Amino acid sequence: MSYQHEYQDKTLEIQELINATPLFTGLSEEVLNQVTCHAATRSHPANRVIILENDWGGSVYFILEGWVKIRTHNVDGKEVTLNIVGKGEIVGEMATLEEVPRSTDVITLTKTTISTIPAHDFVTFLNIEPQAGIRLAKLMAKRLRQLNRRLRLRETDSLSRVADTLIFLAEGQGFKGTQGIELPNLAHRELSSISGLARETVTRTLTKLERKELITRQGDLICIPDLIALERAIV
């Protein structure tokens, strides 16, 4: 491959990163060039570990395509999925900002394209661009608010917990489709881990929600025709 082709490919990768990342919206070309000058983009298969708990936070990761889960383990060693995020999301920023080891694992759920930016470049970017820092703070506040809501619903019935899990995913990664809000039809073990319910319970509850016409399942997608109606199902 010629140097010109390599340069064109690199330019295309950086433009895809900028287009997919709300954090970079509206920034000057100078700032964007500075933060993305060492960016590297790679594609990963499903079930690939991207970040390991207790590793050092040397980079920040931006998801350009696909889905990843953020997980940890409880005191009994059971896997707990804290979040599932997709295109436009950022992961690994907390360890970078705090300069501490990673607190969770990040694993791909599907074929995923991820762009990485060195921690130093990312921190420098936040220092010179206050608006980006505000956007990042809002993102982290939103995640905390969603987590608090999920914790409050841990003592409710299974239908409420599964409905809330779907709303949680829809708010984070849902997109408007012809049948309403659409999100990936994830493996039931993932929904089980997020909701804290047994996989069999999740399967039965999804069937109940479908019978109530609160959701529909179409191949790789779960569709929510009326998000407000699904919210009303939560006790």
Side-chain angles (χ1 to χ4, degrees), residues 210-231:
E210 196 165 22
R211 287 173 179 167
K212 291 175 178 289
E213 299 184 345
L214 293 172
I215 66 168
T216 60
R217 286 181 281 184
Q218 302 174 1
D220 295 334
L221 294 174
I222 290 179
C223 302
I224 304 174
D226 187 338
L227 197 60
I228 295 177
L230 186 60
E231 289 177 343

Short mmCIF file of all heavy atoms in Angstrom, two decimals, residues 210-231:
data_model
loop_
_atom_site.label_atom_id
_atom_site.label_comp_id
_atom_site.label_asym_id
_atom_site.label_seq_id
_atom_site.Cartn_x
_atom_site.Cartn_y
_atom_site.Cartn_z
N GLU A 210 -44.47 -9.42 25.25
CA GLU A 210 -44.87 -9.53 23.84
C GLU A 210 -46.37 -9.77 23.73
O GLU A 210 -47.04 -9.20 22.87
CB GLU A 210 -44.07 -10.64 23.18
CG GLU A 210 -44.09 -10.61 21.67
CD GLU A 210 -43.02 -11.48 21.06
OE1 GLU A 210 -42.53 -12.42 21.73
OE2 GLU A 210 -42.66 -11.23 19.89
N ARG A 211 -46.91 -10.61 24.61
CA ARG A 211 -48.35 -10.87 24.58
C ARG A 211 -49.16 -9.62 24.91
O ARG A 211 -50.27 -9.44 24.41
CB ARG A 211 -48.69 -11.99 25.57
CG ARG A 211 -48.25 -13.38 25.11
CD ARG A 211 -48.45 -14.41 26.20
NE ARG A 211 -48.06 -15.74 25.75
CZ ARG A 211 -47.90 -16.78 26.57
NH1 ARG A 211 -48.12 -16.63 27.88
NH2 ARG A 211 -47.54 -17.96 26.10
N LYS A 212 -48.61 -8.78 25.77
CA LYS A 212 -49.27 -7.52 26.12
C LYS A 212 -49.08 -6.46 25.05
O LYS A 212 -49.54 -5.33 25.18
CB LYS A 212 -48.72 -7.00 27.45
CG LYS A 212 -49.10 -7.83 28.67
CD LYS A 212 -48.41 -7.29 29.92
CE LYS A 212 -48.78 -8.05 31.17
NZ LYS A 212 -50.18 -7.77 31.58
N GLU A 213 -48.34 -6.82 23.98
CA GLU A 213 -48.05 -5.93 22.86
C GLU A 213 -47.24 -4.71 23.29
O GLU A 213 -47.32 -3.64 22.68
CB GLU A 213 -49.35 -5.49 22.15
CG GLU A 213 -50.13 -6.67 21.57
CD GLU A 213 -51.36 -6.23 20.79
OE1 GLU A 213 -51.77 -5.06 20.92
OE2 GLU A 213 -51.90 -7.07 20.04
N LEU A 214 -46.45 -4.88 24.35
CA LEU A 214 -45.56 -3.81 24.80
C LEU A 214 -44.22 -3.88 24.08
O LEU A 214 -43.49 -2.89 24.02
CB LEU A 214 -45.36 -3.91 26.31
CG LEU A 214 -46.61 -3.62 27.15
CD1 LEU A 214 -46.37 -3.94 28.61
CD2 LEU A 214 -47.04 -2.17 26.98
N ILE A 215 -43.88 -5.07 23.54
CA ILE A 215 -42.69 -5.22 22.71
C ILE A 215 -43.03 -6.17 21.57
O ILE A 215 -44.02 -6.91 21.63
CB ILE A 215 -41.47 -5.78 23.49
CG1 ILE A 215 -41.74 -7.22 23.94
CG2 ILE A 215 -41.11 -4.89 24.66
CD1 ILE A 215 -40.50 -7.95 24.45
N THR A 216 -42.21 -6.13 20.52
CA THR A 216 -42.25 -7.14 19.47
C THR A 216 -40.81 -7.57 19.22
O THR A 216 -39.88 -6.80 19.43
CB THR A 216 -42.86 -6.60 18.16
OG1 THR A 216 -42.07 -5.49 17.69
CG2 THR A 216 -44.29 -6.15 18.38
N ARG A 217 -40.65 -8.82 18.80
CA ARG A 217 -39.31 -9.32 18.50
C ARG A 217 -39.27 -9.72 17.03
O ARG A 217 -40.08 -10.51 16.57
CB ARG A 217 -38.96 -10.49 19.41
CG ARG A 217 -38.64 -10.05 20.82
CD ARG A 217 -38.27 -11.21 21.72
NE ARG A 217 -39.45 -11.93 22.19
CZ ARG A 217 -39.40 -12.94 23.05
NH1 ARG A 217 -38.22 -13.34 23.52
NH2 ARG A 217 -40.50 -13.55 23.45
N GLN A 218 -38.31 -9.15 16.33
CA GLN A 218 -38.18 -9.38 14.89
C GLN A 218 -36.73 -9.71 14.57
O GLN A 218 -35.91 -8.82 14.36
CB GLN A 218 -38.63 -8.15 14.11
CG GLN A 218 -40.06 -7.72 14.40
CD GLN A 218 -40.43 -6.43 13.72
OE1 GLN A 218 -39.64 -5.86 13.00
NE2 GLN A 218 -41.66 -5.96 13.95
N GLY A 219 -36.40 -10.99 14.58
CA GLY A 219 -35.04 -11.40 14.27
C GLY A 219 -34.05 -10.88 15.28
O GLY A 219 -34.09 -11.23 16.46
N ASP A 220 -33.16 -10.02 14.83
CA ASP A 220 -32.10 -9.50 15.68
C ASP A 220 -32.52 -8.26 16.48
O ASP A 220 -31.70 -7.65 17.14
CB ASP A 220 -30.87 -9.13 14.83
CG ASP A 220 -30.24 -10.36 14.19
OD1 ASP A 220 -30.41 -11.46 14.75
OD2 ASP A 220 -29.60 -10.22 13.14
N LEU A 221 -33.79 -7.87 16.38
CA LEU A 221 -34.24 -6.64 17.02
C LEU A 221 -35.38 -6.88 18.01
O LEU A 221 -36.21 -7.76 17.81
CB LEU A 221 -34.72 -5.63 15.97
CG LEU A 221 -33.68 -5.07 15.00
CD1 LEU A 221 -34.38 -4.20 13.96
CD2 LEU A 221 -32.61 -4.28 15.74
N ILE A 222 -35.38 -6.09 19.08
CA ILE A 222 -36.55 -5.93 19.94
C ILE A 222 -37.10 -4.54 19.66
O ILE A 222 -36.35 -3.57 19.67
CB ILE A 222 -36.18 -6.05 21.43
CG1 ILE A 222 -35.80 -7.49 21.78
CG2 ILE A 222 -37.35 -5.61 22.30
CD1 ILE A 222 -35.41 -7.68 23.23
N CYS A 223 -38.39 -4.46 19.38
CA CYS A 223 -39.02 -3.18 19.08
C CYS A 223 -39.97 -2.79 20.21
O CYS A 223 -40.72 -3.64 20.71
CB CYS A 223 -39.80 -3.25 17.76
SG CYS A 223 -38.78 -3.72 16.34
N ILE A 224 -39.91 -1.54 20.61
CA ILE A 224 -40.81 -1.01 21.63
C ILE A 224 -41.74 -0.01 20.94
O ILE A 224 -41.34 1.12 20.65
CB ILE A 224 -40.02 -0.31 22.75
CG1 ILE A 224 -38.98 -1.27 23.35
CG2 ILE A 224 -40.97 0.21 23.84
CD1 ILE A 224 -38.06 -0.62 24.37
N PRO A 225 -42.98 -0.43 20.63
CA PRO A 225 -43.89 0.47 19.88
C PRO A 225 -44.20 1.76 20.62
O PRO A 225 -44.32 2.82 20.01
CB PRO A 225 -45.15 -0.39 19.70
CG PRO A 225 -44.69 -1.80 19.88
CD PRO A 225 -43.58 -1.74 20.87
N ASP A 226 -44.34 1.67 21.95
CA ASP A 226 -44.73 2.83 22.76
C ASP A 226 -43.93 2.81 24.05
O ASP A 226 -44.23 2.04 24.96
CB ASP A 226 -46.23 2.79 23.04
CG ASP A 226 -46.74 4.06 23.73
OD1 ASP A 226 -45.93 4.77 24.34
OD2 ASP A 226 -47.95 4.32 23.66
N LEU A 227 -42.90 3.64 24.11
CA LEU A 227 -42.02 3.65 25.28
C LEU A 227 -42.77 4.05 26.55
O LEU A 227 -42.52 3.51 27.63
CB LEU A 227 -40.85 4.62 25.04
CG LEU A 227 -39.62 4.48 25.94
CD1 LEU A 227 -39.00 3.10 25.80
CD2 LEU A 227 -38.60 5.55 25.62
N ILE A 228 -43.71 4.99 26.43
CA ILE A 228 -44.48 5.43 27.60
C ILE A 228 -45.34 4.30 28.14
O ILE A 228 -45.45 4.10 29.35
CB ILE A 228 -45.35 6.65 27.23
CG1 ILE A 228 -44.44 7.85 26.88
CG2 ILE A 228 -46.29 7.00 28.38
CD1 ILE A 228 -45.20 9.08 26.43
N ALA A 229 -45.93 3.51 27.24
CA ALA A 229 -46.75 2.37 27.66
C ALA A 229 -45.90 1.35 28.41
O ALA A 229 -46.34 0.76 29.40
CB ALA A 229 -47.42 1.73 26.46
N LEU A 230 -44.67 1.13 27.94
CA LEU A 230 -43.78 0.19 28.63
C LEU A 230 -43.40 0.73 30.01
O LEU A 230 -43.33 -0.04 30.98
CB LEU A 230 -42.53 -0.05 27.78
CG LEU A 230 -41.56 -1.12 28.30
CD1 LEU A 230 -42.24 -2.47 28.40
CD2 LEU A 230 -40.33 -1.20 27.40
N GLU A 231 -43.18 2.02 30.11
CA GLU A 231 -42.88 2.63 31.41
C GLU A 231 -44.04 2.45 32.39
O GLU A 231 -43.82 2.25 33.59
CB GLU A 231 -42.55 4.11 31.23
CG GLU A 231 -41.22 4.37 30.55
CD GLU A 231 -40.95 5.85 30.33
OE1 GLU A 231 -41.93 6.63 30.40
OE2 GLU A 231 -39.80 6.22 30.06
#
